[in-house]
Amino acid sequence: MSNPYLSPAIPSPCYVLNENKLIANLELMERVQKESGAHIILALKGFSMWSSFPVVRQYLKGCTASSAWEAELAADTFGREVHAYSPAYKDYDIEVILKHCNHISFNSLTQWQRYRDQCTAAGVSMGLRINPEHREAETELYDPSAPGSRLGVPAAQLEGVDLTGIEGFHVHNLCECDSYALERTLAAVEKRFAKYLPQLKWLNLGGGHLMTRQGYDVDHLIAQLKRLRETYDIEVILEPGSAVAWQTGPLVSEVVDIVENNGQIAILDISATAHMPDVLEMPYRPAITDAADAGVKPFTYRLGGNSCLAGDVIGEYSFDHELKPGDRVIFEDMIHYTMVKTSFFNGVEHPSIGILRSNGEFELVRKFGYEDFKARLS
């Protein structure tokens, strides 16, 4: 069968990770680490499919966590370095994180001052997230440097502050960006924070480095990282999420019914709002295997989800053939920033999770049922 995702061995709905594609991404990152001297860690907020971690940890240095629970997941399932950043920590968060983390970045001076003694006692390296006040993200929802952002400390707020105990800075303003966006960001960082950099042990450049996207200038990235590391004699850390799982697998769905209302509407066994919410939040239009824009191919359908939300609509697509119940619709590139955002809204069937192994065999690693839905609430 030419398309492995049409195999009856794969249930619908199901997220399917392609192991070979994951390994290809990781091998590229291994090259970046080797040639630049930088360290790459996995951002769990973008990809936390821990059944794949036996493969991922062969290449990456550890994980970065955005919460106490993510820190526990990293320690429990990955087993290498754990770094942490959150917009704000509660006492409970700090207690958990300090058991598991090597590095912690604070979002404000007040948070650092509140918890620095505990971090020092635990031997955890402390950093501050800085705001370079330089914008690169194209989507407002994902722009940490937008005016009024709650994320990171502007340079003006550091003037006159005794930063004894701060060993690193954390900067993150990219979102699926190229290496030239990083170069511009580094220029902004060096312009505003240059006097602090020689005093630091590490600089975390956050995520958004989409080095595994076709056409990305990997050599330019390596040159930027080498220059930074050598200029300031500093450990450089990157924490991509999307880049790790970029184009590594689809969300497999199927048609449940066809209805008519100002055109043909195909109702699927997945939900945009519950299973790929960025379709509505960004919004964006996902790619579908062997489909095109409306009107390009002979048969056009509006694709809708199976929740009761009126706006649970993915968009209009055209196909080479008429759709009928049971036909598969394959949404491409649905592994990063998708599985991590799903919900059990409406109690609709949650997609299973599987891995298409390197040998071509499919492994079902998780199937969800009523008990999972019930356990969500009480």
Side-chain angles (χ1 to χ4, degrees):
M1 187 174 294
S2 58
N3 187 337
Y5 306 113
L6 299 178
S7 168
I10 299 177
S12 179
C14 187
Y15 296 104
V16 184
L17 175 71
N18 187 310
E19 191 173 57
N20 281 332
K21 293 182 178 181
L22 175 65
I23 290 171
N25 287 349
L26 294 169
E27 287 177 342
L28 184 145
M29 291 181 172
E30 186 176 48
R31 177 199 160 199
V32 171
Q33 292 183 107
K34 182 178 180 180
E35 296 184 18
S36 71
H39 293 161
I40 300 179
I41 58 179
L42 168 65
L44 293 180
K45 64 183 179 182
F47 177 63
S48 55
M49 184 177 167
W50 51 267
S51 57
S52 71
F53 287 176
V55 173
V56 180
R57 64 171 166 251
Q58 296 177 45
Y59 299 87
L60 303 188
K61 302 294 183 180
C63 297
T64 183
S66 301
S67 63
W69 288 352
E70 281 192 351
E72 286 192 273
L73 182 69
D76 182 36
T77 63
F78 203 95
R80 301 192 71 185
E81 287 188 9
V82 182
H83 298 219
Y85 162 78
S86 174
Y89 301 105
K90 297 169 65 175
D91 291 348
Y92 162 80
D93 300 321
I94 291 294
E95 290 173 10
V96 173
I97 284 170
L98 293 185
K99 292 178 183 177
H100 303 300
C101 287
N102 307 93
H103 294 63
I104 184 170
S105 294
F106 292 97
N107 189 59
S108 69
L109 291 167
T110 52
Q111 280 263 296
W112 166 56
Q113 291 160 355
R114 178 176 178 177
Y115 293 117
R116 60 184 171 186
D117 290 343
Q118 287 173 255
C119 294
T120 300
V124 174
S125 182
M126 291 178 286
L128 282 176
R129 177 166 179 171
I130 57 172
N131 188 330
E133 299 175 79
H134 173 79
R135 305 182 69 176
E136 290 287 349
E138 294 182 359
T139 303
E140 188 78 16
L141 185 65
Y142 299 131
D143 188 354
S145 291
S149 172
R150 74 193 196 285
L151 304 175
V153 182
Q157 294 181 14
L158 296 182
E159 291 296 330
V161 176
D162 181 0
L163 295 180
T164 301
I166 290 295
E167 296 186 335
F169 278 172
H170 182 149
V171 56
H172 173 51
N173 70 318
L174 305 180
C175 176
E176 298 187 357
C177 291
D178 63 18
S179 61
Y180 297 91
L182 172 61
E183 183 177 32
R184 294 188 293 270
T185 293
L186 291 178
V189 169
E190 290 177 280
K191 176 182 177 181
R192 292 178 170 86
F193 299 93
K195 65 181 179 180
Y196 304 103
L197 297 180
Q199 308 166 28
L200 301 178
K201 293 183 178 180
W202 51 268
L203 180 63
N204 186 324
L205 298 177
H209 314 275
L210 198 46
M211 64 189 78
T212 52
R213 178 165 54 189
Q214 187 174 8
Y216 187 101
D217 192 337
V218 177
D219 291 332
H220 183 253
L221 170 66
I222 291 169
Q224 295 303 307
L225 300 177
K226 284 185 66 175
R227 181 196 66 79
L228 190 66
R229 187 174 59 81
E230 293 170 358
T231 299
Y232 299 102
D233 188 24
I234 198 170
E235 178 187 7
V236 177
I237 304 161
L238 285 75
E239 46 179 46
S242 289
V244 175
W246 185 255
Q247 295 289 348
T248 56
L251 171 57
V252 174
S253 72
E254 67 181 33
V255 177
V256 179
D257 194 16
I258 305 291
V259 299
E260 170 73 34
N261 190 341
N262 293 320
Q264 296 283 94
I265 304 170
I267 300 176
L268 308 177
D269 62 350
I270 54 92
S271 162
T273 187
H275 305 144
M276 42 185 184
D278 276 354
V279 169
L280 304 182
E281 290 177 3
M282 279 187 66
Y284 90 105
R285 178 184 173 85
I288 295 176
T289 302
D290 295 330
D293 290 343
V296 174
K297 295 191 173 189
F299 301 95
T300 293
Y301 296 85
R302 192 178 190 207
L303 302 183
N306 59 347
S307 79
C308 68
L309 177 70
D312 192 357
V313 174
I314 300 150
E316 290 193 341
Y317 296 79
S318 62
F319 299 82
D320 291 318
H321 57 85
E322 287 189 84
L323 295 182
K324 62 183 185 302
D327 284 349
R328 292 224 159 162
V329 177
I330 312 296
F331 291 91
E332 299 176 359
D333 196 24
M334 284 289 162
I335 302 300
H336 59 93
Y337 279 103
T338 303
M339 283 193 287
V340 293
K341 291 188 173 186
T342 61
S343 74
F344 286 87
F345 175 63
N346 261 198
V348 297
E349 181 183 2
H350 193 287
S352 299
I353 298 173
I355 301 176
L356 187 63
R357 293 293 183 185
S358 297
N359 62 6
E361 294 183 1
F362 173 74
E363 178 185 348
L364 182 65
V365 296
R366 180 68 190 273
K367 183 172 177 60
F368 297 88
Y370 164 71
E371 292 299 330
D372 298 296
F373 169 65
K374 181 182 178 183
R376 234 346 231 105
L377 300 170
S378 62

